Amino acid sequence: MFHAAVGPCVRKRSKPASVSVPRHAVKFKEVRLYLVERKMGSSRRSFLSQLARSKGFIVDDILSDDITHVVSEDSRASSLWAWLKGCGLKNLSKMQVLHISWFTESMRVGMPAPVENRHVIQDTPPALQEGLAPTPMALISQYACKRRTSTDNKNKILTDAFEVLAENYKFSDNKSSCLVFSRAASVLKSLPWTVQSIEATQGLPCLREHTKAVMEEILQFGHSFEVERTLSSERYQTLKLFTSVFGVGPKTAEKWYHRGLRSFRDILAEPSIQLNRMQQSGFLYYGDISRVVTKAEAQALGNIIDEAVRLITSDAVTALTGGFRRGKEYGHDVDFIVTTHEVGKEEFVLRHIIDCFKKQGIVLYCDYQASTFHMSKLPCQSFEAMDYYAKCFLILRLEASQVDGGLTCDEGDNRGWRAVRVDLVSPPMDRYAFALLGWTGSTQFDRDLRRFARFERKMTLDNHTLYDTTKGEFLTARSEEDIFAHLGLEYIEPWQRNA
Ligand code: UTP
Ligand code: MN
């Protein structure tokens, strides 16, 4: 019985393939597939070939220059490409070399799926394969302040995922894991190309096992299970919601979560919770200040500040900083530096601006903090310490008529104004360059500037000073360029600091 059953099957297989394969109508003449047998195995390969032919695809058993799409189950780029290059093809550069996921999707929709970055198995740069140094990869520094990072993020899918995990670690007060994911995201943001395979990241700094595992999931399946799990967890969602309120940090959010509170309604209905003034305003203006601020709105606020300053003195200097100075289109707030050429008058000007705003009736919230700056407190020892300058955290009322192009409002909102978060900081002019560098950010860029200064130069940098511990002296700087020069770093323009 056994032999009888096997016999015909074996004979059939020995016949030429063309005889046993039923002919199917070709629907996609411009596409010619070749399935790589390695890892796939011969039986799965012939099954998939038949499947594709039945759906109207041309599948060749032999790799030739006629092939348009090479499909591989094995996504290890270096060995696949080494093999492809050894096949003596002339047309290889024109072929699409794709992961099986493209094939599976094409079968599902019954036609060639559009090729996306995640499908492509990229050739590894030759220098990397041969282990040669220095390679362009080796030139990518572990320090964000030695990389140029524009707002054009070519790896948003990966960096968004990393940032979810970083934030979740922040919620658990796990600083080191938070930093691992923030750093990995920052490195990928600086790349002028899109990561399409794990091999392509060989030699990149700051990518640990855990970040690579997440990356591999996303490259293979289009999403990471760990990130999905985090995003759908009640704890993450609740802490994310609570910390979106102005004045609520991770500690307070955690405390509320721990007490079983899950929504804004729960918080506002809980009699034992005493919201501070900042949080009260946070809830009051939540709709407006949780919405992004546009560049046009930031410019309008700049005009309002300049006008208020003009009334007081001709000696003042105002500068837009934060994300908008880095060329971002949107922000969560608008940050300005206000100072005077004459050292010592800056705090007075800041207070006058606020008075002027109050007279105009545009101050919805104001937390003024007087300067505690004194050179004797410096250099600062903590990386993340707040600075000592006079500053003011505000919520201002911005009229639509003041904004070029008007306000972008929700439908049905015809108030004609919105609330905006604004930060003003007032360093003395001789500290201006340090304050500008610190307030321009990004946070990761600043963090790495300080880390670089400390570990590579034995210097201490903060928003006030640069201190050379070897020489035991403070270094003066009139511009950001001066600070980079003291640190022996190439100057990085503000729009290249989006690390
Ligand atoms: P932001 O939190 O405003 O960030 O702080 P951002 O880059 O402008 O981003 P969005 O668009 O508003 O969300 C701006 C910079 O100011 C520094 C921060 O470290 C950041 O680099 N900063 C903020 C200080 O140095 N001191 C402070 O007290 C507050
Ligand atoms: Mn900002």
Side-chain angles (χ1 to χ4, degrees), residues 78 81-82 85 122-137 199-200 202:
S78 48
W81 273 93
K85 284 174 188 166
Q122 231 183 10
D123 190 11
T124 332
L128 267 183
Q129 287 169 14
E130 292 150 23
L132 295 178
T135 66
M137 294 284 216
E199 288 77 12
Q202 263 177 43

Side-chain angles (χ1 to χ4, degrees), residues 321-324 326 328 330-335 385-387 391 393 423 437-443 446 450 463:
T321 73
F324 287 109
R326 301 197 309 272
K328 276 176 60 175
Y330 302 102
H332 95 281
D333 66 357
V334 195
D335 309 285
M386 293 278 267
D387 59 53
K391 59 175 76 71
F393 304 113
D423 288 346
L437 184 59
W439 279 78
T440 299
S442 70
T443 308
D446 287 348
R450 286 161 205 201
N463 282 9

Side-chain angles (χ1 to χ4, degrees), residues 155 158-159 161-162 165 181 184 188 191 195-202 204 207-224 226-227:
N155 292 287
L158 294 171
T159 60
F162 287 179
L165 298 180
F181 279 94
L188 298 190
L191 299 178
V195 171
Q196 281 152 353
S197 72
I198 205 84
E199 288 77 12
T201 66
Q202 263 177 43
L204 284 182
L207 298 183
R208 305 273 189 92
E209 285 309 308
H210 192 176
T211 54
K212 282 196 175 177
V214 172
M215 191 149 64
E216 202 146 24
E217 277 187 332
I218 297 172
L219 293 171
Q220 193 168 353
F221 305 109
H223 62 91
S224 147
E226 188 178 351
V227 173

